[in-house]
Amino acid sequence: MAENHGQTALATSPTFPAELDAVVVGAGFGGIYMLHKLRNELGLNVRAFDRAGGVGGTWYWNRYPGALSDTESYVYRYSFDDELLNEWDWTHKYVTQPEILQYLEHVVDRYDLRKDIQLNTGITSAHYDESANRWTIGTDTGETITAKYIVNGLGLLSATNIPNIPGIDTFEGEIYHSGAWPEGVDLTGKRVGVIGTGSTGLQIITAIAPKVGHLTVFQRSPQYSVPVGNTTVTPEYVASVKKDYSKIWEQVRGSGVAFGFEESTVPAMSVSATERQAVFQKAWETGGGFRFMFNTFGDIATDPDANEAAAAFVRGKIAEIVKDPETARKLTPTDLYAKRPLCDSGYYATFNRDNVQLVSVKETPIVELTPTGIRTSDGVEHELDVLIFATGFDAVDGNYTRIDIRGRGGETIQQHWEHGPTSYLGVTTAGFPNMFMILGPNGPFTNLPPSIEAQVEWISQLINDAETGQVASVEPTAEAEEAWTRTCQEIADMTLFPKADSWIFGANIPGKTKTVMFYLGGLGNYRNKLAEVREAGYEGFELKVLAPAE
């Protein structure tokens, strides 16, 4: 599977000390900001590593057709620098992958970070040396580095998931995964198959349908989706947002999902059926998956009746939009509206095109890949030139368990997370001193940049306090980690989300333990918890002070 992105690389093997204060793994939103905080603000000797050929993390790899953030442009960015906020413009309600990548490259140059980012270099191992209170870190280029701290900005969604389909090695066409999209792919006039109809799948399907000769969509689960509503914005609108940025970011930091809108507190069943329909219709016309779930009514994610009202509205739209009754039936979900909220650029209408076919793999499962296509259980061979896996990722912990990480006593991360990934506060885990995680397991389920900022700022403050306090190692207690896991589970159980099979709980990976992997209490409550822990002298942590020199 090709992964050549052709981006100009930073120097891959520059001269740098083998002993560092900190190593940052990853150069996406989290790694970039972490490097800036630790190096530029704390003055530490830091280096960031990324296996990619350029910076950007998720937005370096995900170059598939139609790639778009479904967070509105004005809050899908950093907020820590007022000048940067006011200098950077946008033209559409939602920002595309090339624009996000350009933005992140600008940030790297703005803060002179490139000289301390080593690209084309994957971290393969990280072993904690208890006697030295340092990590020994190995790379796939054969280097060995030691560092007091390691901060993992590995990303939630970057360990690609490719289903194990019989005959995959026999297929003579091209195979791509959305998370490793090569440059120069031309699908014009080709017979293309797409497996997967999550957020990425919907974006790819709607983007390529007008270009390909024939598109076969292999649907594993029918989805609830609403329009994205990606309209152009005027310079006047952009100026008005910039003028109000301080209030906007104050609201975001204190909100639930951090998407830049006020979450509704109105119960869906407290208004008439007519009024409910009007609210849903307005949200449908405005666009945005998270807006539809959280800006309409306050209990869609918690109350079964409210949830069914929202679900029924979307089902009604599918019936209105899709002309062929059998296709509409296959596209119509009947389960809870309780997965990651989706939005699209005309997904349901795409199936009215003559060159688009829907195959429900629950009704006719995929049997095998053949040299010329996909054979399903009804005996039909769907002939393909190109097969696209929009099958998502081994989310949250997948990138950790693919690295040889060993903490106190040689315990591996795989052993520690044998029954599912856990953490304290989403940023640390017991038995792994001086190791931090950005967007680790059981961190907040929100628009990601504001959560990333909260975690990076808290981690850098803790490291600064440790350095000034002559602390050799920082590690959460097992009890604190267990309590945080219980808290996350209890909050999740107040919602309908655990009742749906979703990657949010690891259900997309065969054999993976289905468990809570997010804090669903909202960004405002999460930030308050971080502040409480610090103000209480890092409650839940063991801070080992350096022995005085003789």
Side-chain angles (χ1 to χ4, degrees):
M1 190 177 302
E3 294 189 6
N4 174 32
H5 288 280
Q7 184 172 336
T8 54
L10 285 66
T12 55
S13 296
T15 302
F16 66 91
E19 293 187 6
L20 296 165
D21 295 322
V23 161
V24 175
V25 187
F29 262 102
I32 289 168
Y33 189 30
M34 195 80 245
L35 177 60
H36 170 62
K37 293 291 285 187
L38 295 181
R39 193 200 72 181
N40 293 349
E41 295 190 6
L42 301 190
L44 299 181
N45 190 359
V46 190
R47 191 154 193 84
F49 295 83
D50 202 299
R51 65 186 177 88
V55 301
T58 293
W59 298 105
Y60 173 86
W61 295 107
N62 286 267
R63 299 170 181 234
Y64 59 83
L68 180 84
S69 168
D70 61 1
T71 305
E72 291 184 43
S73 298
Y74 70 102
V75 287
Y76 200 76
R77 60 194 61 236
Y78 296 114
S79 70
F80 68 87
D81 185 331
D82 287 340
E83 287 187 7
L84 175 61
L85 273 176
N86 283 287
E87 287 176 17
W88 201 263
D89 290 329
W90 64 98
T91 59
H92 286 75
K93 187 175 177 181
Y94 297 91
V95 60
T96 63
Q97 178 271 335
E99 293 170 310
I100 299 168
L101 189 58
Q102 181 187 14
Y103 170 77
L104 291 173
E105 288 174 338
H106 169 79
V107 172
V108 166
D109 289 334
R110 185 183 187 94
Y111 303 107
D112 192 27
L113 300 176
R114 287 188 186 268
K115 63 189 178 187
D116 288 308
I117 299 175
Q118 184 164 328
L119 298 174
N120 299 308
T121 307
I123 300 299
T124 56
S125 63
H127 297 175
Y128 188 67
D129 181 345
E130 295 179 54
S131 62
N133 300 307
R134 292 181 70 82
W135 286 90
T136 300
I137 297 152
T139 73
D140 60 7
T141 55
E143 293 158 294
T144 301
I145 308 115
T146 71
K148 182 175 180 180
Y149 305 101
I150 181 169
V151 186
N152 297 295
L154 294 169
L156 286 176
L157 302 173
S158 51
T160 53
N161 169 43
I162 298 176
N164 185 20
I165 301 174
I168 192 168
D169 294 332
T170 70
F171 182 61
E172 294 174 355
E174 297 294 321
I175 295 179
Y176 305 115
H177 190 285
S178 59
W181 196 266
E183 297 240 331
V185 175
D186 184 4
L187 301 176
T188 305
K190 293 184 178 178
R191 298 168 299 176
V192 179
V194 175
I195 300 178
T197 55
S199 180
T200 294
L202 267 58
Q203 291 182 345
I204 292 173
I205 289 160
T206 53
I208 70 174
K211 303 173 185 177
V212 301
H214 189 271
L215 174 61
T216 307
V217 176
F218 296 90
Q219 172 190 272
R220 297 182 292 177
S221 301
Q223 301 282 10
Y224 295 99
S225 186
V226 304
V228 64
N230 193 21
T231 55
T232 57
V233 295
T234 64
E236 292 76 19
Y237 167 78
V238 173
S240 71
V241 168
K242 289 180 177 181
K243 186 178 178 182
D244 220 20
Y245 250 143
S246 60
K247 288 182 180 177
I248 287 169
W249 282 102
E250 182 181 1
Q251 188 277 331
V252 165
R253 294 185 191 110
S255 69
V257 294
F259 271 74
F261 58 76
E262 293 286 345
E263 289 112 359
S264 175
T265 58
V266 178
M269 295 298 116
S270 69
V271 303
S272 68
T274 302
E275 188 174 342
R276 270 198 306 277
Q277 287 295 106
V279 170
F280 287 138
Q281 181 62 33
K282 182 179 179 183
W284 180 272
E285 292 168 1
T286 301
F290 279 81
R291 276 188 180 271
F292 190 86
M293 182 173 278
F294 295 104
N295 188 224
T296 50
F297 297 103
D299 55 355
I300 288 173
T302 56
D303 179 72
D305 291 336
N307 189 273
E308 173 55 26
F313 180 87
V314 177
R315 290 187 205 116
K317 289 295 185 183
I318 297 170
E320 285 177 20
I321 294 167
V322 182
K323 294 175 182 175
D324 176 60
E326 178 63 5
T327 302
R329 181 190 67 78
K330 291 179 181 178
L331 283 169
T332 303
T334 56
D335 56 351
L336 288 166
Y337 174 43
K339 297 181 182 181
R340 181 205 188 281
L342 301 181
C343 51
D344 64 81
S345 301
Y347 175 66
Y348 299 123
T350 296
F351 292 93
N352 293 330
R353 299 181 60 91
D354 292 337
N355 69 327
V356 178
Q357 176 188 5
L358 179 67
V359 175
S360 169
V361 299
K362 283 189 175 175
E363 297 178 12
T364 54
I366 294 171
V367 174
E368 63 178 345
L369 266 170
T370 69
T372 55
I374 287 180
R375 190 187 313 280
T376 46
S377 62
D378 54 0
V380 175
E381 182 171 357
H382 304 272
E383 295 187 351
L384 304 172
D385 303 308
V386 178
L387 176 58
I388 298 170
F389 285 111
T391 44
F393 303 88
D394 186 357
V396 183
D397 60 324
N399 263 353
Y400 290 86
T401 56
R402 297 181 187 198
I403 300 173
D404 177 16
I405 301 174
R406 302 186 192 189
R408 193 179 297 284
E411 181 186 35
T412 67
I413 200 73
Q414 293 90 340
Q415 290 169 332
H416 188 64
W417 288 347
E418 181 183 1
H419 302 294
T422 54
S423 77
Y424 181 42
L425 305 175
V427 294
T428 59
T429 193
F432 294 80
N434 292 352
M435 185 183 90
F436 300 98
M437 301 176 289
I438 305 165
L439 304 182
N442 289 334
F445 182 67
T446 67
N447 168 30
L448 294 181
S451 287
I452 287 169
E453 285 192 320
Q455 292 183 331
V456 166
E457 288 160 8
W458 192 86
I459 292 166
S460 62
Q461 184 66 66
L462 173 52
I463 289 175
N464 186 53
D465 291 343
E467 290 298 288
T468 56
Q470 299 296 297
V471 171
S473 67
V474 178
E475 178 185 356
T477 65
E479 293 76 16
E481 182 165 315
E482 290 163 8
W484 182 249
T485 303
R486 284 196 302 275
T487 294
C488 292
Q489 187 65 61
E490 288 165 5
I491 294 171
D493 288 343
M494 296 176 192
T495 76
L496 299 172
F497 287 114
K499 294 178 170 62
D501 282 338
S502 168
W503 67 261
I504 296 172
F505 293 88
N508 64 318
I509 305 296
K512 187 170 181 174
T513 303
K514 188 177 178 183
T515 185
V516 62
M517 291 203 288
F518 287 95
Y519 171 79
L520 299 177
L523 181 59
N525 291 330
Y526 178 75
R527 289 175 61 91
N528 289 340
K529 178 64 177 178
L530 290 180
E532 288 170 12
V533 168
R534 180 169 182 257
E535 287 162 9
Y538 294 107
E539 181 182 19
F541 285 92
E542 292 177 354
L543 277 65
K544 179 181 172 185
V545 180
L546 283 168
E550 295 188 7

